[in-house]
């Protein structure tokens, strides 16, 4: 049995500060630039045109350029690429299911360097020390499972308290030109170091971990041309909030955002990471930037001079920048000098309002002009630069006797950030004006906030987070979360008013005098270098697999459950390769994110137990037939029930079923449970007006057929209890030219009609569907 993590963390002392004066072993984190450049030369034999930076990085990781590029068709938006990622990173909630899937492949170690980060299961109650101790005890069996699996398969294990996955990846693993997968939708954060970091579901991560080529439809490339320079109160967060307003939550789907132009070089590395992080909110596959001197400085400051030196050589050879004359599918022009601070929300990250107009917006909506809490941190804005900028405002406020008027919660991004903040008196400065410093973890950003006030009440919070769907942060659907930069959040926490504009407005002091903040300034890199903090949180680099270690899964656990393979839809050897006849479970109305399909918050504890977590399937989704939340109809018995209840009835009758869903279905997190759960209950097909990228892939991985409605009006023609049959799927399996899938609909009254659909299934993805899941197919090829 492994030593229990609580014994390691209960001493949570703050006296382990060690200056980062060492160089890390960079052998496993330096991209193989010469190999990548050679691969790229092979690609250029077929693509006789200048390449964008994103294309260079992506195409240089193609497994076999000859088979991928020898055809005459279009690549962007059409071709499926077989890729070899160099690294995988998993957070503790998603790692459970990913590891359970990996274990079933019966391999002795991971094919690529892999890391696990314990950041999602730490709930915010009353402060870092007590929250961390409490969470370790509460989640002990999950942490034991993750740690034992890490030891067995040679995975780096970052213990609870080490920090948020994306900040740790940026500080330790990210490198210019690398291709990395992460089991979290905000994995693109690492793009701040000029790489391609792509959020995926656990089954996609298993591809890389097993050495199976990872497949991606070649994205389009949207160029974002930056000119001018940020100044005053405007930050990189305001750039991406502004861009989210322009693109909307669907505008980046199927595309990589590639930033270029003179406005890039002046941005700090962590500022670029903030921009890349929130590219997920517009549906982008990932975001990236050309290699810059600020990236080089950040690599050296974080003990990776060897990576910087290698990147410098690759840059000289033209690898880490777009070719001159490279063309984009779309170009968006942004003059940074014209931007002003922006506030996005509520309930969607793309409703953007400049701060100068925000007070008017609040008034027009008739909302109460007050905030109930301000929260800074999360993987989006928890860097040293963010925290020192906020500390500048805190110093100004303290000098005139101000403290925050509302609860003010601050989350450092990593133990390294926290320790450096403590050494440089940033934490004491924040606490001196009323801040509560939380553990180095995701906390309130993902719903891990034990909030005791405002339950069921209308209220507004301001956060520097990335996502603001209903109920996401505190479980209260009436809480409006407005997204802003850390400095805007902080200034408003001192005013207590939503309408407060720190650029123009003043705060009345107890003396009657008026106080106005001056624009804040922060440091992108600490003058005295970073301090690593408590080293006991950190893993040994490149650990050797220990096959003799037994993976710990407690008998009769309610948190962890071994996976049983899904049965193929085509198990009958004589069956035609069409899906079995399906019943429609329900028609889902409007926005349906992965939070709606598989809620987080208190359900996080069941991430490793498919039976238990499936009890939350679509419980906050709205049934379009009647408009009620979490209600489904069993037309065979003329009864109704919750959506999980009716789905289980269908499964128990061995009745395959389908969903009819609206636009951008599966928006949000990379949460593969949103695909596993319907599959577990017997879902075979989902008909959508449109899908979000990651979720569509996750559905394919688990053996669910995602189809797009050619005519979006057909959405309303199909209802619960109708039966659906595929026509033409067998031709698609046979790769017949011009083949397509038509869905035959038989209404409950006997009316029959057919509707056209389109699909995005590649030949390899069809193998997953036929086998019942991608994992079934991988297992058959590895044995």
């Amino acid at each position: 049995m492994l030593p229990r993590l609580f014994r390691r963390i209960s001493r949570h002392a703050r006296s382990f500060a060690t200056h980062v004066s060492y160089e890390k072993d960079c052998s496993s984190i330096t991209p193989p630039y010469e190999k990548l450049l050679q691969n790229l030369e092979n690609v250029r034999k077929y693509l006789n045109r200048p390449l964008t930076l994103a294309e260079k990085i992506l195409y240089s990781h193609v497994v076999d350029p000859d088979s991928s590029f020898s055809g005459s068709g279009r690549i962007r938006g059409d071709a499926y690429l077989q890729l070899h990622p160099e690294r995988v990173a998993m957070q503790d909630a998603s790692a459970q299911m990913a590891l359970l899937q990996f274990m079933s492949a019966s391999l002795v170690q991971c094919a690529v360097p892999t890391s696990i980060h314990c950041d999602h299961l730490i709930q915010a109650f009353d402060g870092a020390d007590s929250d961390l101790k409490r969470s370790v005890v509460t989640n002990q069996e999950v942490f034991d499972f993750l740690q034992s699996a890490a030891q067995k398969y040679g995975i780096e294990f970052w213990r609870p308290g080490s920090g948020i996955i994306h900040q740790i990846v940026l500080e330790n693993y990210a490198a210019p030109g690398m291709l990395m997968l992460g089991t979290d939708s905000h994995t693109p954060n690492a793009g701040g170091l000029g790489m391609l970091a792509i959020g995926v579901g656990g089954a996609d991560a298993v591809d890389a971990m097993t050495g199976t080529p990872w497949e991606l439809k070649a994205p389009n490339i949207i160029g974002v041309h930056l000119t001018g320079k940020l100044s005053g109160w405007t930050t990189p967060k305001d750039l991406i909030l502004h861009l989210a307003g322009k693109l909307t939550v669907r505008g980046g789907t199927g595309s990589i955002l590639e930033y270029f132009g003179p406005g890039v070089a002046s941005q700090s590395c962590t500022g670029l990471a903030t921009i890349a992080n929130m590219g997920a909110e517009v549906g982008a596959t990932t975001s990236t930037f050309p290699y810059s001197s600020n990236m080089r400085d950040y690599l050296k400051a974080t003990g990776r001079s060897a990576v910087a030196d290698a990147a410098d050589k690759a840059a000289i050879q033209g690898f880490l920048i777009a070719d001159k004359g490279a063309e984009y599918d779309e170009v968006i022009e942004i003059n940074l000098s014209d931007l002003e601070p922006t506030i996005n929300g509520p309930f969607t990250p793309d409703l953007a309002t400049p701060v100068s107009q925000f007070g008017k917006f609040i008034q027009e909506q008739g909302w109460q002009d007050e905030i109930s809490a301000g929260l800074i941190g999360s993987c989006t804005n928890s860097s040293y630069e963010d925290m020192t900028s906020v500390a500048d405002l805190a110093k100004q406020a303290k000098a005139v006797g101000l403290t925050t008027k509302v609860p003010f919660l601050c989350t450092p991004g990593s133990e390294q950030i926290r320790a450096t903040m403590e050494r440089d008196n940033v934490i004491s400065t924040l606490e001196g004006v009323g801040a509560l410093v939380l553990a180095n973890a995701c906390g309130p950003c993902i719903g891990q906030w034990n909030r005791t006030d405002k339950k069921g009440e209308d209220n507004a919070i301001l956060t520097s987070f990335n996502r603001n769907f209903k109920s996401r942060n505190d479980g209260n659907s009436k809480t409006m979360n407005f997204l802003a930069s850390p400095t805007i959040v902080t200034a408003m926490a001192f005013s207590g008013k939503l309408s407060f504009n720190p650029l123009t407005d003043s705060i009345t002091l107890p003396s009657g005098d008026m106080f106005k903040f001056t624009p804040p300034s922060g440091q992108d890199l600490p003058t005295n270098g970073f301090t690593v903090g408590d080293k006991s949180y950190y893993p040994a680099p490149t650990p050797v697999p220990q096959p003799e270690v037994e993976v710990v899964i407690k008998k009769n656990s309610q948190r962890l459950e071994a996976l049983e393979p899904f049965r193929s839809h085509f198990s009958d050897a004589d069956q035609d390769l069409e899906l079995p006849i399906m019943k429609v479970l329900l028609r889902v109305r409007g926005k349906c994110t992965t939070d709606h399909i598989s809620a987080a918050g208190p359900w996080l504890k069941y991430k490793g137990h498919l039976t238990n977590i499936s009890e939350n399937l679509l419980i906050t989704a709205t049934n379009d037939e009647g408009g009620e939340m979490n209600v489904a109809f069993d037309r065979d018995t003329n009864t109704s029930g919750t959506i999980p209840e009716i789905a289980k009835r269908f499964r128990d009758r061995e009745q395959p079923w389908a969903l009819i869903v609206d636009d951008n279905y599966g928006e949000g997190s990379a949460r593969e449970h949103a695909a596993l759960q319907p599959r577990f209950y017997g879902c075979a097909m989902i008909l959508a007006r449109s899908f979000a990228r990651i979720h569509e892939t996750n559905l394919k991985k688990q053996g669910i057929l995602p189809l797009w409605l050619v005519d979006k009006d057909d959405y309303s023609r199909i209802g619960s209890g109708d039966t659906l049959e595929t026509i033409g799927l067998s031709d698609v399996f046979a790769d017949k030219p011009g083949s397509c899938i038509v869905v035959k609909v038989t209404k409950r009254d006997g009316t029959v009609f057919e509707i056209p659909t389109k699909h995005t299934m590649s030949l390899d993805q069809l193998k997953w569907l036929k086998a019942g899941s991608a994992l079934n197919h991988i297992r058959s090829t590895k044995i």
Side-chain angles (χ1 to χ4, degrees):
M1 176 65 70
L2 297 165
R4 292 176 69 79
L5 284 168
F6 180 56
R7 293 208 266 299
R8 180 180 291 275
I9 291 177
S10 59
R11 54 189 173 84
H12 198 58
R14 300 298 196 183
S15 58
F16 294 88
T18 304
H19 189 275
V20 178
S21 58
Y22 63 91
E23 280 296 313
K24 296 170 183 172
D25 179 356
C26 296
S27 57
S28 68
I29 60 176
T30 304
Y33 290 119
E34 291 303 320
K35 179 181 177 181
L36 297 176
L37 282 162
Q38 181 58 55
N39 216 28
L40 192 58
E41 285 305 307
N42 293 333
V43 171
R44 288 187 187 276
K45 296 174 185 176
Y46 301 105
L47 300 181
N48 187 28
R49 59 176 175 80
L51 299 177
T52 71
L53 169 63
E55 286 182 303
K56 288 183 180 181
I57 299 174
L58 196 66
Y59 299 167
S60 66
H61 288 86
V62 168
V63 174
D64 182 1
D66 292 333
S67 62
S68 294
F69 297 99
S70 58
S72 58
R74 173 180 162 86
I75 300 300
R76 292 187 203 166
D78 287 339
Y80 279 91
L81 305 177
Q82 300 286 321
L83 300 162
H84 178 63
E86 290 150 23
R87 176 169 289 277
V88 170
M90 303 181 286
Q91 39 93 338
D92 50 357
S94 57
Q96 297 170 59
M97 196 57 69
L99 286 169
L100 288 166
Q101 294 178 82
F102 175 75
M103 287 163 58
S104 68
S106 302
L107 299 182
V108 297
Q109 70 179 79
C110 295
V112 298
T114 302
S115 57
I116 297 170
H117 305 264
C118 297
D119 63 356
H120 272 55
L121 299 179
I122 300 169
Q123 191 173 31
F125 279 76
D126 47 25
D129 286 354
S130 59
D131 289 350
L132 185 57
K133 292 174 185 176
R134 183 186 304 106
S135 296
V136 168
V137 173
T138 303
N139 300 290
Q140 186 70 60
E141 66 171 297
V142 173
F143 293 143
D144 282 348
F145 164 72
L146 296 174
Q147 186 179 22
S148 61
Q151 286 186 305
K152 186 177 185 70
Y153 299 113
I155 298 171
E156 295 190 16
F157 180 71
W158 293 79
R159 292 175 171 78
S162 58
I164 303 172
I165 176 174
H166 309 305
Q167 184 64 32
I168 291 176
V169 166
L170 193 71
E171 292 175 356
N172 294 275
Y173 298 133
M178 178 185 283
L179 174 64
M180 186 192 87
L181 304 184
T183 60
D184 189 278
S185 58
H186 292 108
T187 297
N189 187 84
L193 261 172
M195 60 182 287
L196 295 184
I198 301 177
V200 297
D204 274 16
V206 170
D207 282 352
M209 293 164 68
T210 59
T212 303
W214 175 65
E215 186 173 77
L216 176 71
K217 191 173 189 178
N220 291 314
I221 314 294
I222 297 176
V224 184
H225 185 226
L226 302 182
T227 57
K229 190 172 183 178
L230 297 173
S231 61
W233 284 84
T234 313
T235 70
K237 180 64 167 279
D238 299 301
L239 165 59
I240 190 59
L241 291 173
H242 168 78
L243 185 59
K246 292 174 70 73
L247 283 174
T248 78
V249 293
R250 298 196 295 271
T253 302
S255 300
I256 293 175
L257 299 179
E258 180 176 320
Y259 295 79
F260 67 102
V264 173
S266 61
Q267 307 301 310
S268 68
C269 181
T270 52
L272 296 179
T274 293
I275 298 167
N277 180 293
M278 275 199 67
E281 310 320 319
V282 299
T285 302
T286 192
S287 302
T288 195
F289 308 85
Y291 183 54
S292 68
S293 60
N294 285 340
M295 294 181 191
R296 181 189 304 113
D297 292 344
Y298 184 79
L299 286 168
K300 291 183 176 181
T302 51
R304 292 173 287 173
S305 293
V307 176
D309 293 343
D312 287 346
K313 294 177 183 178
I316 291 173
Q317 298 178 72
F319 182 52
L320 302 177
I321 194 170
D323 288 335
K324 186 176 181 180
E327 295 185 357
Y328 299 91
D329 296 285
E330 176 185 356
V331 175
I332 298 172
E333 297 282 349
I334 297 179
N335 185 340
L336 300 177
S337 302
D338 293 339
L339 287 181
E340 67 172 291
T342 300
I343 301 174
N344 287 30
F347 305 135
T348 185
D350 60 350
L351 180 58
T353 307
V355 69
S356 61
Q357 302 299 314
F358 193 66
K360 180 182 177 183
F361 174 59
I362 296 298
Q363 187 178 31
E364 289 173 346
Q365 301 301 317
W367 292 328
Q368 195 168 356
D369 186 15
E370 64 179 39
I371 63 174
S372 61
L375 301 94
I376 63 169
S378 89
C379 62
T380 320
N381 283 108
S382 56
S383 68
Y384 186 78
E385 181 177 27
D386 291 324
M387 294 300 176
T388 51
S389 296
V390 167
D392 185 337
L393 295 178
K395 290 176 184 176
Q396 294 182 43
K398 188 173 183 179
V400 295
L402 283 178
T403 57
T404 57
K405 290 186 178 179
V406 297
F408 184 49
L409 283 62
C410 305
T411 307
S414 68
E415 171 62 6
Q416 178 168 286
I417 296 297
R418 184 212 62 78
T420 308
M421 288 171 61
E422 182 178 59
R423 183 201 63 194
D424 296 345
N425 299 316
V426 174
I427 288 180
S428 60
T429 298
L430 296 177
E431 291 176 337
V433 294
L436 176 64
V437 178
L438 301 175
N440 314 319
C442 299
C445 183
I446 59 161
Q448 288 285 49
W449 181 14
N450 187 42
R451 191 180 190 190
T452 57
D453 66 329
K454 305 298 181 183
K455 291 191 175 183
E457 298 179 29
D458 290 315
N459 74 105
I461 62 175
L462 242 71
T463 80
S464 68
F465 303 162
N466 43 39
R467 202 161 276 166
N468 57 353
F469 304 141
K470 284 186 178 182
S471 304
R472 179 175 176 87
N473 305 113
D474 60 2
N476 179 6
S477 63
K478 295 183 178 180
T479 296
M480 298 186 296
N481 177 0
F482 295 96
L483 307 174
S485 70
T487 46
I488 291 294
V489 173
T490 303
M492 286 197 173
F494 283 104
S495 76
K497 299 291 186 181
L498 283 171
S499 61
F500 180 70
N501 180 358
L503 283 70
T504 58
D505 298 347
S506 299
I507 297 173
T508 303
L509 300 175
S511 64
D513 293 337
M514 303 302 291
F515 166 72
K516 184 172 180 289
F517 286 108
T518 59
S521 62
Q523 293 178 267
D524 59 341
L525 298 173
T527 303
N528 296 317
F530 286 108
T531 293
V532 298
D534 188 342
K535 289 184 177 180
S536 69
Y537 295 139
Y538 294 48
T542 59
V544 176
Q546 301 176 41
E548 72 280 3
V549 171
E550 180 182 354
V551 177
V552 179
I553 300 180
K554 192 169 73 174
K555 187 177 181 180
N556 300 321
S557 171
Q558 295 301 302
R559 302 287 302 271
L560 296 161
E561 176 186 51
L563 289 177
E564 294 293 331
F566 292 131
R567 191 174 67 181
S568 171
H569 303 298
F570 312 99
S571 54
D572 186 343
D574 297 324
Q575 179 183 346
D576 189 20
L577 289 179
E578 301 289 343
L579 288 177
I581 296 175
M582 296 156 282
K583 282 279 182 74
V584 175
L585 178 66
L586 81 154
R587 186 171 69 227
V588 179
R589 177 186 297 178
K591 182 189 281 283
C592 191
T593 71
T594 50
D595 277 13
H596 292 87
I597 307 167
S598 176
W603 293 93
L604 282 173
K605 60 179 174 287
Y606 297 129
K607 285 286 188 177
H609 199 292
L610 185 55
T611 299
N612 284 346
I613 199 170
S614 294
E615 294 289 341
N616 77 2
L617 177 66
L618 290 161
I619 59 175
T620 58
T622 300
N623 190 328
D624 193 48
E625 296 175 277
E628 293 181 280
M629 183 185 296
N630 193 25
V631 172
F633 303 104
D634 183 351
R635 302 298 186 181
D636 291 345
T637 61
N638 291 320
T639 59
S640 63
T642 68
I643 295 172
E645 284 172 353
I646 303 303
K648 280 189 285 186
R649 286 191 205 175
F650 281 24
R651 179 194 62 184
D652 294 344
R653 294 178 197 155
E654 297 189 351
Q655 171 60 67
W657 52 271
L659 288 175
I660 312 302
V661 298
D662 219 320
D663 267 315
N664 208 31
Y665 181 72
E667 170 192 343
S669 170
R671 201 167 299 161
E672 70 174 336
H673 294 75
L676 281 160
Q677 290 169 218
R679 181 70 166 97
F680 179 66
Y681 281 151
C683 181
M685 182 174 74
I686 297 181
L687 283 170
R689 280 175 164 162
S690 63
F691 290 96
R693 176 192 67 85
I694 297 178
H695 185 62
E696 183 185 24
T697 300
N698 286 346
L699 292 171
K700 295 175 181 178
K701 286 284 185 178
Q702 302 307 332
I704 295 176
L705 176 63
L707 293 178
W708 300 56
L709 295 169
V710 172
D711 183 348
K712 291 188 177 184
D713 288 342
D714 284 336
Y715 161 86
S716 58
R717 299 177 68 193
I718 310 170
S720 60
D722 294 347
T723 59
L724 306 180
E725 300 172 65
T726 58
I727 301 172
L729 177 58
S730 56
D731 291 339
V732 172
F733 271 116
D735 197 24
K736 292 184 179 179
S739 57
C740 61
I741 301 171
V742 171
V743 174
K744 176 183 176 182
V745 182
T746 303
K747 301 290 292 180
R748 287 187 293 125
D749 64 4
T751 304
V752 178
F753 57 88
E754 296 179 356
I755 58 173
T757 70
K758 58 183 179 180
H759 73 89
T760 59
M761 302 289 289
S762 70
L763 291 177
D764 282 302
Q765 291 167 355
L766 287 166
K767 294 175 183 176
W768 307 342
L769 181 64
K770 187 175 182 180
S773 72
L775 188 59
N776 288 354
H777 177 66
I778 290 174
R779 188 184 300 108
S780 69
T781 61
K782 295 294 181 182
I783 295 176

